[in-house]
């Protein structure tokens, strides 16, 4: 695996360093860009890592510029990692719609053509990116948390459920909780994985829970004024799944909030605090 990183930019902020980096990915076969905030820390210290997965149409830049996570991460001494949502480049196939193709990798390993060669975002997030972080930053990979928004919430939930014990904490903002039951999921999973819905279950949080996957606990925030809530997000299905499985979960319906980063930034510090408590020691 190529561990060589190119630094795109660094800025001092909240006593630490916000960096943007790029590298040639083995998983996607493309150049990938991600951001990392490293708080001020004692020489030789290794810090817990919180990975944030973004939603449809986003890159690393959305949360990096709008997420308002740095003060909380600096307070708790947490490294914050934000990858892109899909492979990019002229060689990468695309679709005219915003919810498929570039910017919409859905955190799957695609098996259908022409997507299979590059759209390997599950492999990238689960394997390649953590190895890069461990190699290049003062990261304690025994203390990891994962979180995400919308499509990235789907990614965070499913990745954590498929990898029991890897993440000490899991949270999400407005996640797509049941891709088998919504238009975004049906389009993406059909296109990337094929028509066999049995193969989709490993990419559906509610289905994974129904099939026996478990989390020690969970935090989810969902805005009541989110225009995608009823048709695409279906938060009530996650509540039903965790209740049936006995998973301790705080699923908070936040009155009047929409799907935007105004919503995410409002509750981001609470999520970082919640992850920090679980990543101690």
């Amino acid at each position: 695996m190529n561990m060589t990183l190119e630094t795109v930019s660094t800025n001092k902020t909240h006593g630490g360093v916000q960096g943007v980096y790029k590298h040639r990915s083995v998983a996607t076969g493309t150049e990938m860009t991600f951001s990392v905030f490293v708080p001020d820390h004692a020489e030789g210290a290794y810090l817990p890592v919180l990975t944030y997965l973004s939603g449809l149409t986003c890159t690393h830049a959305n949360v990096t510029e709008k997420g308002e996570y740095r003060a909380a991460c600096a307070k708790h001494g947490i490294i914050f990692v934000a990858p892109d949502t899909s492979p990019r480049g002229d060689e990468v196939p695309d679709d005219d719609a915003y919810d498929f193709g570039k910017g919409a990798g859905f955190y799957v390993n695609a098996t259908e053509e022409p997507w299979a060669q590059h759209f390997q975002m599950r492999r990238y997030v689960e394997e390649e990116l953590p190895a890069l972080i461990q190699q290049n930053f003062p990261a304690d990979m025994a203390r990891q948390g994962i979180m995400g928004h919308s499509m990235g919430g789907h990614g965070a939930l499913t990745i954590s459920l498929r990898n029991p014990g890897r993440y000490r904490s899991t949270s999400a903002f407005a996640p797509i909780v049941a891709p088998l039951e919504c238009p975004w999921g049906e389009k993406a999973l059909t296109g990337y994985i094929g028509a066999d819905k049995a193969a989709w279950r490993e990419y559906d949080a509610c289905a994974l829970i129904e099939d026996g996957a478990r989390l020690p606990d969970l935090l989810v925030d969902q805005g009541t004024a989110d225009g995608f809530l009823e048709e695409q997000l279906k938060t009530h299905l996650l509540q039903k799944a965790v209740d049936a499985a006995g998973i301790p979960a705080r699923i908070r319906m936040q009155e009047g909030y929409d799907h935007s980063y105004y919503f995410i930034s409002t509750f981001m510090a609470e999520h970082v605090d919640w992850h920090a408590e679980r990543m101690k020691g």
Side-chain angles (χ1 to χ4, degrees):
M1 185 180 295
N2 182 5
M3 294 289 189
T4 304
L5 295 184
E6 178 182 341
T7 300
V8 177
S9 65
T10 58
N11 296 93
K12 184 168 183 177
T13 175
H14 293 277
V17 176
Q18 177 66 65
V20 177
Y21 308 90
K22 62 182 180 181
H23 69 109
R24 187 74 185 177
S25 168
V26 174
T28 68
T30 65
E31 188 175 84
M32 295 293 289
T33 301
F34 61 92
S35 73
V36 180
F37 173 68
V38 179
D40 188 29
H41 59 281
E43 184 175 354
Y46 287 86
L47 309 178
V49 177
L50 180 55
T51 299
Y52 177 95
L53 305 182
S54 292
L56 288 167
T57 76
C58 292
T59 70
H60 71 282
N62 297 75
V63 70
T64 305
E65 296 170 2
K66 303 175 184 178
E68 299 185 23
Y69 55 83
R70 279 173 286 267
C73 287
K75 178 177 72 173
H76 294 293
I78 292 173
I79 294 173
F80 191 96
V81 179
D84 202 346
T85 55
S86 80
R88 312 264 179 184
D90 294 340
E91 73 273 31
V92 177
D94 200 9
D95 189 89
D96 290 337
Y98 77 96
D99 56 358
F100 194 71
K102 293 180 185 178
F106 236 77
Y107 304 100
V108 305
N109 285 342
T111 57
E112 297 294 297
E113 297 300 336
W115 314 102
Q117 180 179 357
H118 298 297
F119 281 74
Q120 300 292 311
M121 289 302 295
R122 171 182 174 176
R123 179 183 167 199
Y124 181 74
V125 173
E126 288 187 354
E127 299 176 18
E128 188 171 12
L129 184 61
L132 282 166
I133 298 304
Q134 185 171 32
Q135 181 72 25
N136 291 280
F137 300 92
D140 179 0
M141 303 307 283
R143 292 186 289 157
Q144 291 189 73
I146 192 166
M147 65 190 304
H149 169 232
S150 194
M151 179 185 73
H154 141 79
L157 292 174
T158 56
I159 288 170
S160 190
L161 285 162
R162 287 194 307 262
N163 293 275
R166 177 181 295 188
Y167 300 98
R168 293 193 181 185
S169 52
T170 306
S171 77
F173 298 101
I176 303 169
V177 304
L180 278 82
E181 308 291 340
C182 74
W184 277 342
E186 293 220 3
K187 180 175 184 177
L189 296 177
T190 300
Y192 294 136
I193 307 299
D196 180 8
K197 289 194 173 184
W200 297 8
R201 294 187 69 83
E202 63 184 313
Y203 295 112
D204 182 301
C206 289
L208 284 165
I209 293 169
E210 289 168 7
D211 292 344
R214 295 292 182 265
L215 297 172
D217 56 9
L218 176 65
L219 174 63
V220 172
D221 277 314
Q222 171 63 59
T224 62
D226 189 325
F228 300 115
L229 176 56
E230 296 302 322
E231 183 181 26
Q232 303 283 12
L233 305 178
K234 299 181 183 287
T235 309
H236 68 283
L237 295 180
L238 180 62
Q239 185 71 70
K240 181 179 177 182
V242 297
D243 287 348
I247 295 174
R250 295 179 66 195
I251 300 177
R252 309 188 300 188
M253 302 303 296
Q254 301 291 2
E255 187 66 32
Y257 284 91
D258 60 17
H259 200 68
S260 72
Y261 270 87
Y262 294 108
F263 158 60
I264 296 166
S265 64
T266 300
F267 299 101
M268 177 64 84
E270 290 183 33
H271 279 241
V272 174
D273 290 346
W274 187 86
H275 284 274
E277 183 64 28
R278 284 151 183 80
M279 293 193 292
K280 283 181 178 178

